[in-house]
Amino acid sequence: MRKVLIDAHTHTVASGHAYSSLQEMAKAAADMGLEVLGITEHGPSVPGTCPTLYFKNMFTVPRQMYGIRLLMGCEINILDTKGSLDLTDEQIGWLDLAIAGIHAAWYQAGTKEENTEGMIQVIRNPKIHMISHPADGSCELDFEQLVLVNNHSLAPQRKKTVARDNNLEILSLCKKYEVPTILGSDAHISFQIADYERLYPLLKETDFPDELIMNYWPDKFFDYLGIQR
């Protein structure tokens, strides 16, 4: 197994229900030997998270910290089957890294087809880099359709009862269509950074190729997402 060099999906105390500061997260990532860390606080629909001013003020944060490349971003909420988001295009422009995902408590679900079409609209948004935890069972989705439109983030870590089978399906489809995938820890405390232990057996079970896992390849990661190094 190759060395993990990237964790692009993490949260700090600013998200309201996480437990480490930004600097604690960065230091922990550096101590683990990571090269890239994404700090992606929850979007404003989540109670207790940071205000939009937090995202606007991100320019004050050094992008090199403890020897790692820091990406300041947001896990934006997908709100409905039309693909509505809880940050505007202007606000997304403040971010280094824009992740979008469905959280059941703040999502107006529809049919499987409607949910899928809404997520496809988000994937096609050029400002969105990744989709977070699509397999966690927050709503029904057609995973093959999502993979076919080149979904960037198809390996969640949330503990839902359907997650294992959904993840296996997604990994198999990504392998079939050669779609790059990034594993995200969704860490809410520094000790969870780059913790992919629940995913490694699924990668082995699907014989998933290392070349498609962006966590191992920082250069590929930046090039694929069009993010400045």
Side-chain angles (χ1 to χ4, degrees), residues 84-166:
S84 303
L85 302 172
D86 66 349
L87 287 184
T88 66
D89 282 354
E90 178 185 4
Q91 292 165 342
I92 295 173
W94 301 335
L95 311 174
D96 301 331
L97 183 63
I99 299 177
I102 291 173
H103 297 91
W106 304 286
Y107 178 69
Q108 296 179 0
T111 64
K112 182 176 183 178
E113 293 74 19
E114 291 169 337
N115 296 332
T116 301
E117 180 56 32
M119 185 168 281
I120 287 173
Q121 294 306 310
V122 176
I123 293 169
R124 286 178 172 161
N125 183 335
K127 294 182 179 294
I128 299 300
H129 296 111
M130 304 178 194
I131 299 296
S132 61
H133 47 70
D136 71 354
S138 290
C139 68
E140 286 190 288
L141 294 164
D142 184 333
F143 299 127
E144 185 160 19
Q145 291 302 310
L146 300 182
V147 171
L148 285 172
V149 293
N150 209 12
N151 191 353
H152 292 164
S153 178
L154 292 168
Q157 287 290 297
R158 298 178 69 193
K159 301 176 186 178
K160 300 283 184 91
T161 57
V162 299
R164 186 180 190 281
D165 289 344
N166 286 351

Side-chain angles (χ1 to χ4, degrees), residues 44-71:
S45 296
V46 176
T49 194
C50 47
T52 54
L53 179 60
Y54 176 92
F55 301 109
K56 188 173 185 178
N57 200 45
M58 281 178 168
F59 69 90
T60 64
V61 179
R63 295 316 198 257
Q64 294 288 335
M65 192 178 293
Y66 305 112
I68 66 166
R69 174 71 163 93
L70 193 64
L71 297 173

